[in-house]
Amino acid sequence: MTLQAQRLEFEAAKKIYESATVVFHGVDGFDVYNISIPFLWDGKRYLFGRVERRDEWARSWVRLFEETGQDEWTVVKDSMIYTLEDPYITVIGDELVMGGTHVQYERGKYSTFFGYFFRGTDLHDLYYFTTGPNKMKDIRLVPLSDGKIGVFSRPRSAEMRGKYGSESMIGFTVVDTLEELTADVIENAPYIYGIFGEGEWGGVNQAYLLDSGKIGVIGHISYRDTDERGGEVKVYLNMAFVFDPITRESSNLHLIGSRPCYPPGPAKTPHLVDCVFTSGIVMRPDGKADLYSGIGDCQTGRITIDYPFEGHGRMV
């Protein structure tokens, strides 16, 4: 079944229990989108968000926000400002690891980008400690049951499309410590086959250790479409799958969200009107999950869905 057909099937049967646009205070004149998942630290709930003006591209900062109400977050004054895009977090031991995309310029023009990683126990003073491969986004970490660290990669290139049909792949490897996380290790992570079809691309956005020893993955899966005027639209969908780090088999890939699941709103450009860039899920006391996403590269949305890894273990 094509991804377009899967999308139609999903939207006909979807169960969305809540749908909200997230509000951010203290950054007037800027959009906040493509956030990290919300997380608890020292008794408070925080998230990192990408902050950017609507009419600018690849000129964004990552700021720390504190929860100040239902679906309301306020920038933490005097906290560190990072020259990054699309932040994400993982807790490894007693440390918080925050990653994001750093865009490089040369002579005032976009040149390339890298994943940068920061770590520490003081949320307001994280230390930059390693860099991912050239032009690779969506690198994600997950603590494993044996104390090691799983690493998901996301190579994407025209050469890859010629070889595998899909525009990107997802790789997975394991390191013993954060000190072993290098660009070479990430670049050489063996691929997980069979996730993306012809012309599709995507990646891991947040990974969760399950009590079964498997890894629950929340990610995005994408394809190109056209609008009524024949213009290109890049469709981004929320998806989930389960990965076994021992057998290296993936299973239960399914859609969990699409743009119509979230409240109506603007898009940064016309080709992003059907875009939800996944952040991840946070479990609720009622057993359901809050799924967060960037919307149209200019807003942040939250929907409440059923637990996406049912039958494969609970999140640790």
Side-chain angles (χ1 to χ4, degrees), residues 41-42 44 46 48 64-66 76-82 96 119-127:
W41 203 259
D42 294 333
K44 295 181 179 180
Y46 296 97
F48 288 100
L64 180 67
F65 294 83
E66 181 182 342
V76 177
K77 291 181 179 177
D78 303 322
S79 61
M80 196 179 293
I81 300 175
Y82 305 87
L96 184 84
R119 63 188 289 189
T121 55
D122 181 352
L123 194 56
H124 309 284
D125 194 18
L126 299 176
Y127 284 82

Side-chain angles (χ1 to χ4, degrees), residues 9-266:
E9 196 174 82
F10 161 75
E11 289 186 342
K14 68 181 185 291
K15 291 181 182 176
I16 306 299
Y17 301 98
E18 292 180 16
S19 179
T21 302
V22 181
V23 175
F24 294 91
H25 300 291
V27 285
D28 293 349
F30 291 82
D31 294 327
V32 182
Y33 65 102
N34 294 8
I35 63 169
S36 76
I37 56 168
F39 59 94
L40 269 173
W41 203 259
D42 294 333
K44 295 181 179 180
R45 288 226 317 165
Y46 296 97
L47 60 78
F48 288 100
R50 175 177 176 172
V51 179
E52 191 171 52
R53 292 186 181 93
R54 182 72 56 87
D55 60 353
E56 294 184 333
W57 175 83
R59 186 171 181 256
S60 60
W61 298 269
V62 164
R63 302 287 306 269
L64 180 67
F65 294 83
E66 181 182 342
E67 186 177 43
T68 50
Q70 175 67 36
D71 295 317
E72 290 193 16
W73 300 78
T74 300
V75 72
V76 177
K77 291 181 179 177
D78 303 322
S79 61
M80 196 179 293
I81 300 175
Y82 305 87
T83 313
L84 295 173
E85 300 177 349
D86 306 347
Y88 47 91
I89 61 102
T90 312
V91 178
I92 306 288
D94 63 348
E95 287 188 283
L96 184 84
V97 178
M98 190 269 285
T101 302
H102 177 74
V103 176
Q104 290 192 354
Y105 279 77
E106 192 170 324
R107 298 181 183 179
K109 294 184 177 180
Y110 160 80
S111 171
T112 186
F113 58 84
F114 295 87
Y116 278 16
F117 291 85
F118 296 75
R119 63 188 289 189
T121 55
D122 181 352
L123 194 56
H124 309 284
D125 194 18
L126 299 176
Y127 284 82
Y128 171 48
F129 76 98
T130 200
T131 305
N134 186 29
K135 289 191 174 175
M136 187 185 293
K137 298 182 179 182
D138 305 328
I139 304 159
R140 297 296 189 268
L141 310 179
V142 58
L144 302 178
S145 54
D146 60 3
K148 296 182 179 182
I149 302 165
V151 182
F152 288 97
S153 68
R154 207 284 330 253
R156 182 181 179 185
S157 66
E159 179 187 354
M160 187 157 285
R161 182 170 187 170
K163 190 170 183 180
Y164 299 107
S166 59
E167 289 190 24
S168 71
M169 297 289 282
I170 293 174
F172 179 80
T173 191
V174 175
V175 295
D176 290 329
T177 65
L178 287 173
E179 285 72 24
E180 295 180 13
L181 187 67
T182 66
D184 283 346
V185 165
I186 298 165
E187 188 84 68
N188 292 307
Y191 296 161
I192 307 165
Y193 296 99
I195 293 178
F196 302 119
E198 188 77 28
E200 299 171 7
W201 73 95
V204 175
N205 292 88
Q206 195 72 32
Y208 305 84
L209 177 65
L210 307 181
D211 59 15
S212 60
K214 295 179 181 179
I215 300 168
V217 170
I218 302 293
H220 64 282
I221 188 166
S222 312
Y223 64 93
R224 285 179 172 81
D225 204 350
T226 53
D227 60 23
E228 61 273 10
R229 297 181 302 278
E232 182 183 78
V233 174
K234 292 182 178 178
V235 179
Y236 280 73
L237 304 166
N238 307 132
M239 62 89 159
F241 68 90
V242 175
F243 179 71
D244 188 325
I246 305 300
T247 65
R248 297 188 57 85
E249 291 179 351
S250 64
S251 61
N252 194 35
L253 191 150
H254 61 288
L255 300 180
I256 56 173
S258 61
R259 182 64 189 90
C261 299
Y262 297 82

Side-chain angles (χ1 to χ4, degrees), residues 242-308:
V242 175
F243 179 71
D244 188 325
I246 305 300
T247 65
R248 297 188 57 85
E249 291 179 351
S250 64
S251 61
N252 194 35
L253 191 150
H254 61 288
L255 300 180
I256 56 173
S258 61
R259 182 64 189 90
C261 299
Y262 297 82
K268 195 175 185 83
T269 64
H271 76 272
L272 293 171
V273 296
D274 204 0
C275 169
V276 283
F277 186 73
T278 314
S279 296
I281 61 169
V282 177
M283 293 306 296
R284 298 160 51 104
D286 62 8
K288 291 183 169 51
D290 282 331
L291 169 62
Y292 289 84
S293 281
I295 305 172
D297 271 14
C298 64
Q299 289 184 314
T300 296
R302 176 187 64 83
I303 59 174
T304 304
I305 62 173
D306 289 317
Y307 179 61

